[in-house]
Amino acid sequence: MAESDDDTSDGGRFSYHSEELRGPISSSDEENESVRVIYPQFNAEAQFGEVRLAVEMEFATLAEFKKAVKDYTIHIGRQIKWIKNDKVRARAKCVFEHCKWEILCSRSSITNSFQIKTFENTTHSCPGTFTNSQADRKWVIEKLELRLRQQPSLSHSEAYYLMKEDYNLHLEDSMIYRSLKQAKQNVEGSEIDQYAKLWDYCHELLSQNPGSTVKMSTIPQQEGPPIFHRLYICFGASKRGFKEGCRPIIGLDGCFLKGYFGGQLLTAVGGDANNHIFVIAYAVVDVENKDYLFRDYLF
């Protein structure tokens, strides 16, 4: 519905005026007086590229509407700017002055929801773009998280081509790097926070795995919590399995840890009757030297 002509307090035609839908909520006919019009509902589960917008569509929150507009405009490769954006309404317009694309969503007092009141010129008359200011870091992190849950080993180059092929976006390397790092932290958890839970992890192993050997060493600090030094774990079942079903030979091996804090993973392994590797014990240390001998802990 068009806004009042005398409302020019903030940008003339872009200023907000309380708008109601053209169609009534219920018919004035006596026989249909109690029949309520059913408006289209936005599908919050819609994936990127499947978002559909229409006049009178209802949204649970204004944030849901703005997220839908962001996905919709990024998908079609168009830039928008928010003319109005507060707690009760949001109006977006194409950044190109000659393009008449415009959308407005505001609260409806009748349905107690947010509805699209204006959606004009759904076909843009402006050129498309592969860069979009709406694709901010928060949005990129959200999309990368979805892929990381399916592909935990997602690399920087794979993330770049993901944005290019699936979202039609050319992003800078710095944006990809920072967003991918934060997305991995959101999915996998902070390594610092995980180190803080090691004592609980060790006590849980001892309580739930009788006969296990768990030893953790820390470096005390005058101020603040102690610093992790090394960790040794040998499950009770591994001990019994080695004694009862493996050859009496123990092999030692190690590899570097590629995490943020580095270190090395040392393992003691044996061979079972099928010539398969049987892990007996393992340890996380800062460096491999003669201070870490499994014979002091195994049995």
Side-chain angles (χ1 to χ4, degrees):
M1 184 173 182
E3 299 178 354
S4 175
D5 294 335
D6 58 355
D7 187 3
T8 58
S9 59
D10 185 13
R13 65 185 294 269
F14 299 127
S15 59
Y16 175 76
H17 184 273
S18 179
E19 302 188 14
E20 298 297 336
L21 298 176
R22 296 185 182 88
I25 294 300
S26 60
S27 174
S28 59
D29 298 338
E30 293 182 358
E31 57 183 15
N32 296 326
E33 186 171 340
S34 60
V35 178
R36 187 177 184 274
V37 177
I38 304 300
Y39 294 110
Q41 303 293 312
F42 174 70
N43 180 16
E45 302 298 327
Q47 301 297 320
F48 182 85
E50 301 176 353
V51 176
R52 299 294 181 265
L53 302 175
V55 177
E56 301 183 352
M57 180 175 285
E58 291 185 326
F59 296 81
T61 64
L62 197 59
E64 186 178 70
F65 163 75
K66 290 187 285 188
K67 180 179 181 297
V69 172
K70 178 179 291 190
D71 283 353
Y72 177 81
T73 53
I74 292 175
H75 173 66
I76 63 178
R78 297 299 192 277
Q79 290 264 29
I80 64 170
K81 57 183 177 181
W82 294 99
I83 305 301
K84 283 288 183 180
N85 189 4
D86 54 35
K87 295 181 179 180
V88 295
R89 77 276 197 189
R91 183 195 295 273
K93 188 182 182 302
C94 183
V95 296
F96 292 92
E97 294 297 332
H98 65 274
C99 183
K100 303 303 181 182
W101 189 93
E102 183 180 347
I103 190 169
L104 167 70
C105 180
S106 62
R107 178 182 291 277
S108 173
S109 58
I110 300 176
T111 60
N112 194 27
S113 64
F114 291 90
Q115 285 185 289
I116 296 179
K117 306 295 182 63
T118 302
F119 192 21
E120 298 180 356
N121 297 306
T122 56
T123 302
H124 283 260
S125 59
C126 58
T129 178
F130 292 104
T131 59
N132 199 317
S133 59
Q134 292 295 309
D136 53 13
R137 184 182 174 189
K138 180 179 179 181
W139 183 89
V140 176
I141 291 174
E142 178 184 339
K143 301 307 178 185
L144 290 178
E145 283 183 18
L146 297 176
R147 177 53 66 90
L148 281 170
R149 298 187 187 280
Q150 302 175 353
Q151 184 182 348
S153 60
L154 184 69
S155 64
H156 180 276
S157 60
E158 291 172 335
Y160 176 83
Y161 286 106
L162 170 69
M163 288 294 152
K164 181 179 179 181
E165 297 175 2
D166 291 9
Y167 300 100
N168 297 322
L169 287 173
H170 291 177
L171 301 179
E172 296 182 356
D173 287 341
S174 57
M175 168 70 84
I176 294 293
Y177 175 79
R178 292 193 298 267
S179 300
L180 183 59
K181 180 179 179 180
Q182 182 63 46
K184 286 184 176 181
Q185 181 171 317
N186 294 345
V187 173
E188 301 173 359
S190 171
E191 293 188 20
I192 296 178
D193 294 339
Q194 292 178 19
Y195 274 98
K197 298 179 180 180
L198 278 178
W199 282 119
D200 295 336
Y201 175 68
C202 293
H203 287 297
E204 189 68 18
L205 288 181
L206 292 174
S207 63
Q208 299 298 325
N209 295 272
S212 300
T213 302
V214 179
K215 294 181 179 292
M216 186 171 71
S217 173
T218 59
I219 301 176
Q221 301 293 311
Q222 293 183 354
E223 298 181 0
I227 298 177
F228 172 80
H229 186 206
R230 56 192 179 186
L231 173 66
Y232 169 87
I233 296 176
C234 180
F235 294 110
S238 298
K239 298 178 184 179
R240 295 189 298 272
F242 175 73
K243 291 180 178 180
E244 297 176 6
C246 294
R247 297 181 176 88
I249 300 175
I250 296 177
L252 302 179
D253 197 4
C255 65
F256 292 98
L257 297 176
K258 297 182 179 180
Y260 180 80
F261 296 98
Q264 287 187 288
L265 176 66
L266 305 180
T267 58
V269 298
D272 60 16
N274 293 324
N275 290 325
H276 292 167
I277 295 176
F278 185 89
V279 178
I280 305 171
Y282 61 93
V284 178
V285 300
D286 53 348
V287 64
E288 181 179 357
N289 55 35
K290 294 182 180 180
D291 292 339
Y292 310 113
L293 296 178
F294 287 100
R295 66 189 183 193
D296 295 335
Y297 304 111
L298 280 177
F299 308 111

